[in-house]
């Protein structure tokens, strides 16, 4: 299922991101009330083109990990804290022609961009209502648990605590009154750049599988 976001929240995002280097719009996908909600950073170039979250190279790694604990796209909700592809603009000299060519590679979203999407993400999380939130990488983790949260310290751990939600004035975050169950994971792209992490990541996912099987409930 492709989620349908409220028009007023989409309008708010457009107003808050006007003039920023963001492309496309890839909605979250998956069933409501799933066991697992995967939360990434932002769509990449491939996601922008096909409108399917985590469908590029890192997405293939993610699907292997998800499949290893008996889950798939069909029974998992997949989204990210920013729903458009952040890009930078670079002038690169073509090796064959020598001409300058404009490139628009992916980049990490800024804190202001993450905040601009915060009300939309809060609505999405409340609507999907997963049993376990799995933030993938530091951008997603810090959106939920604040700027001091670090994936290197928290990966693979079950955390039950409040999360950050957009403040009503739109200028920052406030802590939720409810606790949520989170299991932070390394972003699958990390495996592509550092294969040495693979055994750690695989072990973390097996822990997640055991938690789901044991019937972890949202507090």
């Amino acid at each position: 299922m492709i989620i349908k976001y409220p028009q007023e929240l989409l309008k708010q995002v457009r107003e808050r991101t006007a003039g920023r280097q963001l492309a496309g719009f890839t909605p979250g996908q998956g069933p409501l009330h799933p066991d697992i909600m995967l939360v990434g950073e932002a769509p990449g170039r491939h996601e922008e083109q096909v409108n399917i979250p985590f469908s590029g190279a890192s997405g293939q790694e993610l699907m292997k990990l998800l499949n290893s604990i008996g889950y798939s796209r069909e029974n998992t909700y997949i989204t990210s804290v920013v729903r458009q592809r952040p890009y930078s603009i670079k002038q690169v000299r073509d090796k064959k022609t020598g001409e300058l060519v404009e490139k628009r590679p992916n980049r990490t979203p800024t804190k202001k961009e993450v905040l601009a999407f915060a009300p939309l993400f809060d609505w999405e999380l409340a609507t999907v209502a997963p049993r376990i939130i799995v933030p993938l990488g530091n951008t997603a983790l810090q959106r939920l648990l604040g700027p001091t949260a670090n994936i290197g310290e928290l990966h693979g751990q079950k955390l039950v605590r409040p999360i950050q939600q957009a403040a009503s004035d739109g200028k920052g975050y406030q802590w939720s009154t409810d606790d949520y169950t989170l299991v932070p994971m390394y972003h699958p792209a990390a495996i592509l750049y550092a294969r040495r992490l693979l055994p750690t990541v695989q072990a973390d996912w097996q822990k997640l599988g055991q938690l789901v099987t044991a019937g972890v409930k949202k507090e």
Side-chain angles (χ1 to χ4, degrees):
M1 182 195 82
I2 299 175
I3 200 162
K4 301 293 185 183
Y5 299 101
Q7 287 300 314
E8 63 270 19
L9 289 179
L10 292 173
K11 180 175 181 288
Q12 185 183 81
V13 168
R14 286 194 296 271
E15 291 171 350
R16 292 182 177 180
T17 59
R20 292 190 172 270
Q21 292 173 355
L22 298 166
F25 188 96
T26 304
Q29 295 182 16
L32 299 182
H33 317 302
D35 289 336
I36 299 169
M37 178 179 187
L38 302 175
V39 182
E41 177 180 277
R45 187 182 303 279
H46 190 268
E47 287 77 14
E48 178 195 352
Q49 292 171 345
V50 302
N51 253 15
I52 300 173
F54 275 105
S55 53
S58 64
Q60 293 175 21
E61 293 292 336
L62 182 61
M63 289 308 109
K64 292 176 188 175
L65 295 164
L66 195 57
N67 294 162
S68 75
I69 61 169
Y71 283 80
S72 66
R73 286 187 183 275
E74 283 65 41
N75 56 12
T76 305
Y77 192 88
I78 307 176
T79 189
S80 57
V81 295
V82 169
R83 303 275 6 110
Q84 294 180 276
R85 180 176 79 89
Y87 64 89
S88 56
I89 299 176
K90 295 184 178 180
Q91 299 291 329
V92 180
R93 197 167 295 280
D94 188 282
K95 292 180 180 179
K96 292 182 179 180
T97 65
E99 296 179 357
L100 284 176
V101 179
E102 183 179 286
K103 298 285 187 180
R104 297 194 170 193
N106 298 336
R107 62 170 172 81
T108 301
T110 66
K111 287 181 170 58
K112 285 186 177 181
E113 288 164 348
V114 174
L115 181 58
F117 278 87
L120 190 73
F121 178 79
D122 289 344
W123 176 88
E124 186 172 24
L125 178 57
T127 301
V128 175
R131 287 169 58 198
I132 302 174
I133 305 168
V134 180
L136 301 164
N138 271 325
T139 300
L141 178 63
Q142 291 173 2
R143 161 61 178 88
L144 292 164
L145 297 185
T148 61
N150 185 281
I151 200 72
E153 298 171 358
L154 298 176
H155 67 90
Q157 297 181 37
K158 174 194 167 188
L159 309 172
V160 181
R161 60 180 66 175
I163 62 170
Q164 288 192 146
Q165 296 177 328
S168 57
D169 61 6
K171 296 180 179 178
Y173 300 98
Q174 60 192 20
W175 292 104
S176 65
T177 54
D178 294 329
D179 284 343
Y180 291 78
T181 300
L182 299 89
V183 181
M185 295 287 187
Y186 280 108
H187 194 284
I191 305 171
L192 299 176
Y193 299 116
R195 297 302 293 183
R196 68 183 184 279
L197 285 175
L198 183 58
T200 299
V201 173
Q202 289 174 330
D204 286 347
W205 277 83
Q206 291 309 305
K207 289 180 193 174
L208 174 61
Q210 291 163 10
L211 284 172
V212 176
T213 301
V216 176
K217 299 290 185 182
K218 188 172 78 171
E219 298 294 324

